[in-house]
Amino acid sequence: MSRNHITAAYFGEQMFSTLVVVGTLQGNEFGIDLSEYEVGVDFRGVHRIPEGVHYVYATSCDAQGHRGSRTGFVHYFLKNEIVVCEWDMHTEELKLGADVSKAVLENIANAERYSEIEALLLKYNSDEYDTWKTLTNHITSDLLRRIVPTCSIITSAEPVTCSKNASQEQTRENEPCNQHGIVLVAESEQLTSSVDVSNHTFSFTNVPARSGKDLSAADITANYMDSIRVINKLMSTNGENQILGEFQLSFILFFCGHSIDCLQQWRTLFALLCNSELAVISYGQFYSKLMILLMYHIPMLPLEMVGNIETNTIYKDTRKLLRNTCQTKRASDMQRLLVSLQQTVHWDFPGLLEEDPEDLPTVVTL
């Protein structure tokens, strides 16, 4: 039996996983995946967790409602598994694995003791599971082990306001806003106070560069006109499902864990994949799946990252993707994404089939 995992078969057969949280969290915030709770005195964890990748986190709150740092971890829950984590009141951190005391684990690994705890467990919110499954369905346990070190705790120095919690905000008159009625600002102003202080380095794929000292001017120009060669290299090294899984994992580690490093990996992959019409033709099924993910990812981004389309690079990359897709066999997928973004973040794409002025050649008078 591992230090932080207790087989649920010990307690009888069950189809789902269980998370036991040891330590007093009363008054603090606790979350798993897309659900967040204010912790009551009897809270001891969550049960009936479906098999797969889940993100668990907690945030301390004082009597005045001031929130501390968010700490959490990502874990691939197996069927019939009980995972134990501990809230350290002194450091205000969730602890997992070897950091959980042996006495705590031995106390829980007792059938009678577990039956007492079970009555105090929240039921996993099944209403949001379909969305979570769409956000994580390409993340395998092997991919998670490769990218995130075992038992790594992720801590964010400052909270990031994402669209899911946006309804608490107020709008200012005559300013652009998304479907939640939230004021949007330029991407250049985004996330300036949010600092990722994870206690480890993520082992993400090193995305091939489109430019560099080893490339000729002709190669660099070709890569920026259509990044098919770079995408081919990435696909041959990792495979389509691995890339989709990494794209998903980097996003949920940012959205749930507030990791800016993970946001950067998501942006790097996104910018590359949007820049090739030939790749849409060569990897059609991949791009169909990618566009489904973007229907979820883009509206969930922080509000300041989906506004001011004149300077917003995410908007510009999305426009490139739509233009690269609209005359291929994936045009119906492109149309669904376009309509979805119009409805959620109110993005319009006028003159989509026209050449982007930034891509036109510059005429110089000699």
Side-chain angles (χ1 to χ4, degrees):
M1 185 184 302
S2 65
R3 286 291 307 276
N4 66 310
H5 305 294
I6 306 170
T7 174
Y10 183 79
F11 306 108
E13 186 66 24
Q14 64 180 51
M15 296 299 296
F16 300 95
S17 305
T18 299
L19 172 72
V20 176
V21 181
V22 179
T24 302
L25 269 167
Q26 184 178 4
N28 292 340
E29 292 177 355
F30 172 85
I32 178 168
D33 301 341
L34 303 177
S35 298
E36 187 171 293
Y37 311 90
E38 181 178 341
V39 178
V41 64
D42 293 328
F43 174 77
R44 294 295 183 275
V46 181
H47 67 159
R48 299 189 67 79
I49 301 171
E51 181 179 16
V53 172
H54 297 280
Y55 196 93
V56 178
Y57 64 90
T59 307
S60 62
C61 299
D62 63 19
Q64 288 72 42
H66 300 138
R67 302 197 307 174
S69 300
R70 171 176 291 190
T71 66
F73 60 89
V74 60
H75 177 72
Y76 196 99
F77 285 77
L78 301 174
K79 290 181 180 179
N80 304 328
E81 180 181 35
I82 296 177
V83 176
V84 181
C85 64
E86 184 176 13
W87 176 255
D88 190 319
M89 295 181 60
H90 300 290
T91 62
E92 296 188 335
E93 292 180 337
L94 280 178
K95 292 186 175 181
L96 179 69
D99 291 331
V100 178
S101 65
K102 184 177 180 180
V104 166
L105 293 176
E106 290 177 346
N107 187 33
I108 293 195
N110 176 286
E112 184 175 329
R113 174 60 176 152
Y114 180 79
S115 65
E116 297 174 5
I117 294 174
E118 190 172 25
L120 305 176
L121 300 176
L122 290 174
K123 183 179 178 181
Y124 182 87
N125 186 356
S126 59
D127 291 341
E128 293 188 329
Y129 179 64
D130 286 344
T131 298
W132 182 255
K133 184 66 174 177
T134 301
L135 293 171
T136 60
N137 60 336
H138 298 288
I139 304 174
T140 64
S141 56
D142 288 341
L143 177 71
L144 187 62
R145 281 193 295 268
R146 175 174 70 81
I147 294 177
V148 182
T150 303
C151 299
S152 293
I153 302 300
I154 302 168
T155 303
S156 64
E158 302 230 358
V160 177
T161 302
C162 294
S163 296
K164 179 170 170 42
N165 300 319
S167 58
Q168 301 171 359
E169 304 292 334
Q170 295 181 344
T171 62
R172 294 190 295 272
E173 187 176 0
N174 298 324
E175 295 203 53
C177 56
N178 68 3
Q179 80 274 25
H180 298 280
I182 305 309
V183 174
L184 306 175
V185 298
E187 186 181 5
S188 60
E189 302 173 20
Q190 69 192 14
L191 306 179
T192 53
S193 65
S194 300
V195 182
D196 178 29
V197 290
S198 306
N199 63 352
H200 62 268
T201 301
F202 297 105
S203 300
F204 284 119
T205 297
N206 185 19
V207 179
R210 285 186 278 172
S211 62
K213 295 180 180 179
D214 297 334
L215 297 176
S216 66
D219 288 336
I220 294 173
T221 300
N223 287 342
Y224 276 92
M225 291 181 65
D226 191 300
S227 56
I228 182 62
R229 288 187 290 183
V230 180
I231 293 174
N232 281 339
K233 184 176 180 180
L234 187 67
M235 293 294 190
S236 64
T237 303
N238 294 76
E240 296 182 23
N241 288 334
Q242 289 278 308
I243 297 303
L244 284 171
E246 187 162 328
F247 191 70
Q248 288 182 321
L249 181 58
S250 61
F251 184 81
I252 67 165
L253 288 175
F254 164 68
F255 182 77
C256 296
H258 297 174
S259 170
I260 306 306
D261 288 344
C262 296
L263 173 63
Q264 182 59 48
Q265 180 69 6
W266 183 88
R267 282 295 289 118
T268 300
L269 287 169
F270 180 59
L272 175 67
L273 294 169
C274 288
N275 196 56
S276 176
E277 182 179 358
L278 295 175
V280 175
I281 297 171
S282 298
Y283 305 102
Q285 290 293 330
F286 173 90
Y287 273 88
S288 292
K289 296 172 183 176
L290 177 67
M291 284 185 278
I292 290 174
L293 293 181
L294 294 176
M295 291 170 62
Y296 289 84
H297 285 189
I298 292 175
M300 294 173 71
L301 287 170
L303 303 173
E304 55 266 42
M305 296 181 68
V306 293
N308 197 343
I309 61 175
E310 293 182 1
T311 59
N312 190 324
T313 61
I314 295 177
Y315 171 84
K316 292 180 179 180
D317 285 338
T318 304
R319 185 183 178 90
K320 287 182 181 179
L321 175 64
L322 295 174
R323 190 170 68 243
N324 287 332
T325 309
C326 64
Q327 295 182 334
T328 70
K329 293 181 179 179
R330 306 299 156 187
S332 59
D333 299 317
M334 163 266 182
Q335 186 64 30
R336 281 193 292 272
L337 175 59
L338 186 151
V339 171
S340 175
L341 295 179
Q342 287 175 331
Q343 295 174 345
T344 54
V345 291
H346 301 302
W347 280 357
D348 288 314
F349 300 91
L352 186 62
L353 296 180
E354 299 174 6
E355 288 291 336
D356 191 321
E358 293 184 1
D359 295 333
L360 295 175
T362 302
V363 178
V364 180
T365 303
L366 298 177

